[in-house]
Amino acid sequence: MAESKAPVITVDGPGGSGKGTITQMLARRLGWHLLDSGALYRLTALAAERQGVSLEDEPSLVNVAASLDVAFEPTPPGEPAKVLMAGVDVTADIRTETCGDNASKVAVMQPVRDALLQRQRDFQKPPGLVADGRDMGTVVFPDAPVKIFLTASAEERAQRRYSQLKDAGVDVNIDALLEEIRVRDERDMNRAAAPLKPADDAQVIDSTGLSIEEVLVRVMAAAGQA
Ligand code: C5P
């Protein structure tokens, strides 16, 4: 990272590892910016669907990714950031299981990833950035001084997602959720383009069996901010 650039803490890991909540709390605590890179892949999938672009049409998906009109708006503590696409609130639309699954399909395509790269790097601004994703430490911010890889067992991640959805009044089957998580992990870890894996210099934290507060303590310590 160039001297003049703002510091970055990267937090990578699979879905349901607690990354989203932890990065939000960390960014708020430090007063730093937050990049939710997964939202960009979800938005690409959603925009493609709304524009009638097939998830197999790579050249058109690249155009969709390159021309995304996105704004992230801050919300009160504990609430996910409001996400606007072309001025329309799509916060809930991008959080569905289908959108997550479609996001992981478009994320396999290197040209789509390339189209989103600079947009992600532009989030690096003073006083600092907390970057949440799969390849923040390996590809997008390889020079970040602090890299964390947050993980948890697939069973625990399915249980967390199940509770979240149940609280939101969505009727789901835990076995189906576990299967979806396994399929998505498999796709994210085994793709050729920026596969999900810890950077060589990442600190790995396993959040299985830990509360969010306990994870935050460990993450803050790893980030040298305890
Ligand atoms: O983190 P989230 O569940 O929102 O990400 C949705 C999908 O986007 C992931 O399953 C992954 O395939 C993709 N993604 C990615 N690289 C990132 C962030 C997300 O490939 N940096």
Side-chain angles (χ1 to χ4, degrees):
M1 190 165 54
E3 289 302 343
S4 57
K5 292 258 183 88
V8 182
I9 296 175
T10 62
V11 184
D12 289 306
S17 57
K19 267 181 323 140
T21 311
I22 288 295
T23 49
Q24 230 191 1
M25 291 169 98
L26 187 61
R28 205 176 281 274
R29 244 238 207 144
L30 300 173
W32 287 12
H33 300 280
L34 174 65
L35 164 61
D36 172 4
S37 61
L40 296 176
Y41 291 94
R42 288 172 181 266
L43 284 159
T44 302
L46 184 71
E49 189 192 339
R50 296 201 170 163
Q51 292 169 32
V53 169
S54 151
L55 294 181
E56 265 115 65
D57 181 353
E58 189 173 289
S60 299
L61 288 170
V62 170
N63 284 334
V64 170
S67 59
L68 278 181
D69 173 2
V70 187
F72 293 92
E73 282 186 3
T75 43
E79 283 179 31
K82 195 164 160 185
V83 185
L84 303 178
M85 188 167 77
V88 178
D89 186 349
V90 292
T91 315
D93 306 71
I94 61 165
R95 292 294 153 207
T96 65
E97 295 307 301
T98 308
C99 192
D101 195 49
N102 288 342
S104 99
K105 289 179 184 157
V106 304
V108 165
M109 300 169 187
Q110 184 66 57
V112 170
R113 307 193 69 84
D114 293 343
L116 294 174
L117 187 59
Q118 193 54 46
R119 196 188 282 267
Q120 297 175 76
R121 290 189 172 150
D122 289 344
F123 277 76
Q124 186 177 6
K125 286 189 194 132
L129 174 68
V130 177
D132 165 352
R134 303 288 190 290
D135 62 341
M136 299 294 98
T138 49
V139 175
V140 182
F141 302 106
D143 299 330
V146 176
K147 298 180 184 177
I148 291 164
F149 192 85
L150 199 56
T151 180
S153 70
E155 288 75 14
E156 169 128 353
R157 290 184 285 126
Q159 185 60 52
R160 288 178 188 166
R161 187 70 184 137
Y162 178 72
S163 305
Q164 259 178 5
L165 290 170
K166 237 179 122 195
D167 288 349
V170 183
D171 194 17
V172 278
N173 173 302
I174 186 137
D175 293 332
L177 267 183
L178 181 59
E179 183 54 25
E180 266 174 43
I181 282 178
R182 291 210 163 110
V183 169
R184 181 120 60 98
D185 280 358
E186 179 77 12
R187 195 185 294 133
D188 287 352
M189 291 190 294
N190 293 315
R191 66 188 180 205
L196 170 64
K197 62 164 189 206
D200 291 340
D201 49 349
Q203 304 178 65
V204 179
I205 297 175
D206 186 341
S207 71
T208 310
L210 300 181
S211 68
I212 283 291
E213 289 72 26
E214 288 168 326
V215 179
L216 186 63
V217 167
R218 282 169 172 73
V219 168
M220 292 284 284
Q225 303 283 344

